[in-house]
Amino acid sequence: MTLLIPLASALAPASLFGIDLSAGARNSSELSAPLQIVLLLTALTALPAILMSITPFLRITLVLHFLRQALGTQTAPSNQVLLGIALFLTMALMRPTATQMLEEGWQPYQSGQIGREEAWQRGTAPLRRHLVRFAREKDIALMVEMSHSPSPQRPSDVGLDLLVPAYVLSELKAGFQIGAVLFLPFLIIDLVVASVTLSMGMVQLPPVMISAPFKILLFVLADGWHLVVGGLLRSFAA
């Protein structure tokens, strides 16, 4: 919950989180309570996609998917297990950022110490630092060029509307790079097994059925889950 609340407060309009459950709006410049609730629920429907796009969840799920494909186990581990691992790893990695967003933006706004605009600026600052940290300059420059925005002087000058797609592109590249490296040792096993089976004339027996136990055995002996998950966590801590 500590992760969802600050992210929702930062990525949804700040006015949606100050809902007054009175019959109508206080003045003509404010939305009525039913309309605020509708807008809030609409914003929350996009929250899962937002969480998957601006957190380490994207890279982790890509790497775990490539790993399962490289092992050739098809549905083991299942999608639910892989998504659960990715979700809890994401929560662990994003906890410091989420805590800063909660303390700097959400809590002062709830206590009435700051206004909505200032709460938005303070609340999104830790998220912006996270995105800038992992977004490549090339991808940010592409987004700035395509949006015809003025060139930012500092990383903090880049808007979230440009940082988010740049971060997604960077994470896709990183995930595919790690996935390609994971594929190599298992590909070598497949090639060796295929060469041996063909030389022995075992044409009717698929080489994948023979290589799968060897790949799983290699992965277990090398303590593969520890290596893969540890490498993913260290890639975000660097």
Side-chain angles (χ1 to χ4, degrees), residues 149-164:
S149 302
S151 300
Q153 301 298 324
R154 299 171 299 176
S156 59
D157 296 335
V158 184
L160 285 176
D161 57 331
L162 302 179
L163 274 178
V164 170

Side-chain angles (χ1 to χ4, degrees), residues 118-136:
E118 188 175 357
W120 169 266
Q121 296 298 329
R122 291 188 182 183
T124 56
L127 178 62
R128 192 188 307 273
R129 289 194 293 268
H130 166 74
L131 297 178
V132 170
R133 183 181 176 188
F134 296 102
R136 298 185 305 166

Side-chain angles (χ1 to χ4, degrees), residues 99-108 114 119 122-123 125-126 129:
T99 301
Q100 292 179 7
M101 295 171 66
L102 185 67
E103 294 176 350
E104 297 178 12
W106 176 252
Q107 291 179 350
I114 58 177
R122 291 188 182 183
R129 289 194 293 268

Side-chain angles (χ1 to χ4, degrees), residues 156-184:
S156 59
D157 296 335
V158 184
L160 285 176
D161 57 331
L162 302 179
L163 274 178
V164 170
Y167 174 82
V168 171
L169 290 176
S170 301
E171 288 298 283
L172 287 174
K173 183 179 188 306
F176 273 80
Q177 285 178 333
I178 299 174
V181 173
L182 286 175
F183 250 104
L184 291 178

Side-chain angles (χ1 to χ4, degrees), residues 20-63:
D20 182 10
L21 297 178
S22 58
R26 294 179 178 178
N27 52 59
S28 59
S29 63
E30 295 184 359
L31 299 175
S32 62
L35 184 55
Q36 292 185 49
I37 294 175
V38 170
L39 293 176
L40 173 59
L41 295 177
T42 303
L44 289 178
T45 58
L47 186 59
I50 293 172
L51 288 175
M52 288 187 291
S53 300
I54 65 171
T55 63
F57 188 89
L58 175 59
R59 184 190 302 185
I60 295 172
T61 51
L62 274 177
V63 172

